[in-house]
Amino acid sequence: MAGGSGAKDVLTQANYWRKQWKGLPPFTWSPVLAKNAYLTATEPIFTTVNDKGETVKHNQGGAMEMNHNLNPGSNAQCIAGGNDAGVTQDLTPFEHAYLMWICEMPTAGIQATCDSIQKPSNNPGTGHAEIIAGKYSQIGCYYMDSVQQKDPNHPGGMWTCDFTS
């Protein structure tokens, strides 16, 4: 099952916007990638030291921090803050997250929609859009509410999607 967001399944939404954006072929759903996205979201944060001697955090630790972790079978990953409830501007919560990624490189087919959504101010790059437009043909996603809510009136969490060929 491809998971749901606002009575539309995630795979259908991803493929709709991918086609509107660049006319790209549809993704297929991967349960392995969905499980990997789940593991990234749910596992406690752990750290390693990279080859530069820097400590690197892995996993989101209950959707508390945006930390990437590619589990076996995943070749790329996109993470966005968001929620899992409420449709705004006729867009589901997943569509908001997905559009934040592809609107890093807007096209005429989605420009008006990109202009209407709130984009994160701390990510001026195009890496998420490059992943979605790239060579990958499979997707698997997971949403998790943060286990530590700072403001109960504004619950939040993270959408995580993993990709592979």
Side-chain angles (χ1 to χ4, degrees):
M1 181 65 184
S5 171
K8 296 181 196 176
D9 73 84
V10 167
L11 180 62
T12 299
Q13 294 170 76
N15 287 334
Y16 171 81
W17 287 109
R18 194 169 191 241
K19 184 175 182 178
Q20 298 301 309
W21 179 41
K22 291 186 174 257
L24 296 168
F27 286 122
T28 57
W29 185 260
S30 167
V32 170
L33 296 177
K35 182 178 180 183
N36 287 348
Y38 164 82
L39 292 172
T40 296
T42 60
E43 290 181 344
I45 294 173
F46 68 91
T47 60
T48 59
V49 177
N50 66 18
D51 57 355
K52 297 176 185 174
E54 303 163 324
T55 301
V56 179
K57 291 182 180 181
H58 298 273
N59 296 333
Q60 295 172 12
M64 293 187 302
E65 295 183 20
M66 282 191 201
N67 299 308
H68 292 280
N69 192 49
L70 295 179
N71 289 289
S74 295
N75 295 114
Q77 187 174 71
C78 295
I79 302 171
N83 64 56
D84 67 342
V87 174
T88 57
Q89 301 165 304
D90 293 327
L91 299 171
T92 67
F94 174 75
E95 285 175 300
H96 278 280
Y98 195 78
L99 285 162
M100 280 193 288
W101 297 329
I102 66 175
C103 287
E104 293 171 350
M105 296 172 30
T107 62
I110 64 165
Q111 185 65 58
T113 303
C114 289
D115 290 344
S116 73
I117 67 164
Q118 182 179 1
K119 297 171 203 73
S121 59
N122 61 348
N123 184 24
T126 59
H128 302 102
E130 290 171 23
I131 289 170
I132 294 169
K135 62 185 177 183
Y136 304 113
S137 60
Q138 296 179 46
I139 188 173
C141 302
Y142 183 75
Y143 173 80
M144 181 172 184
D145 280 327
S146 176
V147 296
Q148 287 186 340
Q149 297 295 330
K150 294 180 182 171
D151 181 352
N153 296 318
H154 297 88
M158 292 183 204
W159 285 96
T160 305
C161 291
D162 284 30
F163 302 85
T164 196
S165 304

